Amino acid sequence: MTFAAWLSVVTICILGAMTPGPSLAVVLRYSVGQSRQAGFACAVAHGLGVGFYAVITMTGLGILFQTVPAFRNIVSVLGALYLIYLAIRAWRAAGSGARFESEQGGQVAETMTQAARDGFMIAFLNPKIALFFLALFSQFVSPEFEWGGKFLLAFTAAGIDAAWYCLVAVGLSHGAVLPWLRAHSMWIERIIAILFVVIAMRVIIGILPV
């Protein structure tokens, strides 16, 4: 792969990572509700989930999502159910007025492990990521492409995704905006919960037979 082709992949991956969606909402929830470190854990784990799809796409397994609709639909339904689960958690957190920050004197309600788990699962249960990489890598990866180059592309995609959401976590936890976000955290939690449900419903409606 030429350097120009690699830069093209980088540009497309950056644009893909910056597209708003449930991943952004999850990072927002942990960065504001718990800590910047929790936001980082969520971001890095999400990047690993993206990297997982990048790898399986180049091994040929990703083609299952394109050629076997039932397989893709099962993963999509699981993703929708997970979003509803996250919505219930967010709504309950808003209703209880709980705060995750121990520095505010409250009890820590979420762990770094939970943040990482949610970040990974949001990516892992989104088969659209596999379809995205199928479309992207088909333009750059040929049958004789060496595995070193394939893993470089997968690492590039995962690194860009993780780096973007780490930047989001830094921005959301900045001293200039964090006090306002925390002051309105109850409404932010509820908006995030509603967003999760709306996205879940769209996913389910999208796979129902016409």
Side-chain angles (χ1 to χ4, degrees), residues 76-148:
S76 295
V77 169
L78 291 176
L81 293 176
Y82 197 79
L83 285 172
I84 292 174
Y85 162 71
L86 292 180
I88 294 172
R89 282 174 49 194
W91 192 270
R92 285 179 175 175
S96 65
R99 294 294 179 270
F100 302 141
E101 280 288 330
S102 58
E103 68 187 27
Q104 292 185 354
Q107 182 180 3
V108 176
E110 302 285 350
T111 65
M112 299 288 284
T113 300
Q114 288 175 318
R117 180 199 63 196
D118 289 347
F120 180 82
M121 293 301 289
I122 283 293
F124 180 70
L125 295 176
N126 184 3
K128 290 183 178 180
I129 296 176
L131 298 178
F132 169 80
F133 284 127
L134 280 173
L136 174 61
F137 293 154
S138 65
Q139 307 300 315
F140 300 97
V141 179
S142 58
E144 62 274 9
F145 207 69
E146 295 182 357
W147 273 106

Side-chain angles (χ1 to χ4, degrees), residues 14 28 33 37-38 47 58 68-69 71 83 88 116 118 124 129 142 144 151 154 156 158 168 179 185 198:
I14 290 174
L28 166 64
Q37 289 72 23
M58 287 184 289
V68 186
F71 182 61
L83 285 172
I88 294 172
D118 289 347
F124 180 70
I129 296 176
S142 58
E144 62 274 9
F151 279 111
T156 297
V168 170
S185 60
V198 169

